[in-house]
Amino acid sequence: MKVLTANRLADGEAVWYANGGWAEIIDNADLADDKAAEDRLEAIGATALANNEVVDVNLIDVTVANGVVVPVRLREKIRAAGPTNRNDLGKQARPEAARAA
């Protein structure tokens, strides 16, 4: 399975494509489970890049464990959570992250 990720051009925030827009958390990211869905997400990403909404657009591998979207690669796990040296900063410090833990 794959999801579409990027960095929002306005502030550099890591974002994921979800429900027709860019979300700051990976939880509700649109999942691509076949080539057609991947192609659809890639087209959305290319359009957003061309419109200067986001940069560094990529499809990344994820798994779904107990209903939670989990990136496969360490780099993407860090992008989804935030800094590794301070758990009181970044996405992991947000209230919705505490509920998911």
Side-chain angles (χ1 to χ4, degrees), residues 7-75:
N7 289 87
R8 192 169 42 217
L9 191 58
D11 60 7
E13 181 79 24
V15 291
W16 293 265
Y17 188 78
N19 303 317
W22 295 98
E24 292 184 2
I25 57 174
I26 195 171
D27 298 354
N28 297 318
D30 290 4
L31 297 170
D33 55 4
D34 61 25
K35 181 67 173 139
E38 289 177 17
D39 291 345
R40 181 183 72 81
L41 288 178
E42 284 183 327
I44 290 167
T47 299
L49 179 66
N51 290 336
N52 293 320
E53 297 171 26
V54 294
V55 295
D56 193 24
V57 180
N58 293 292
L59 282 178
I60 62 164
D61 293 316
V62 297
T63 60
V64 178
N66 298 322
V68 177
V69 178
V70 179
V72 171
R73 293 184 54 222
L74 178 60
R75 174 186 189 267

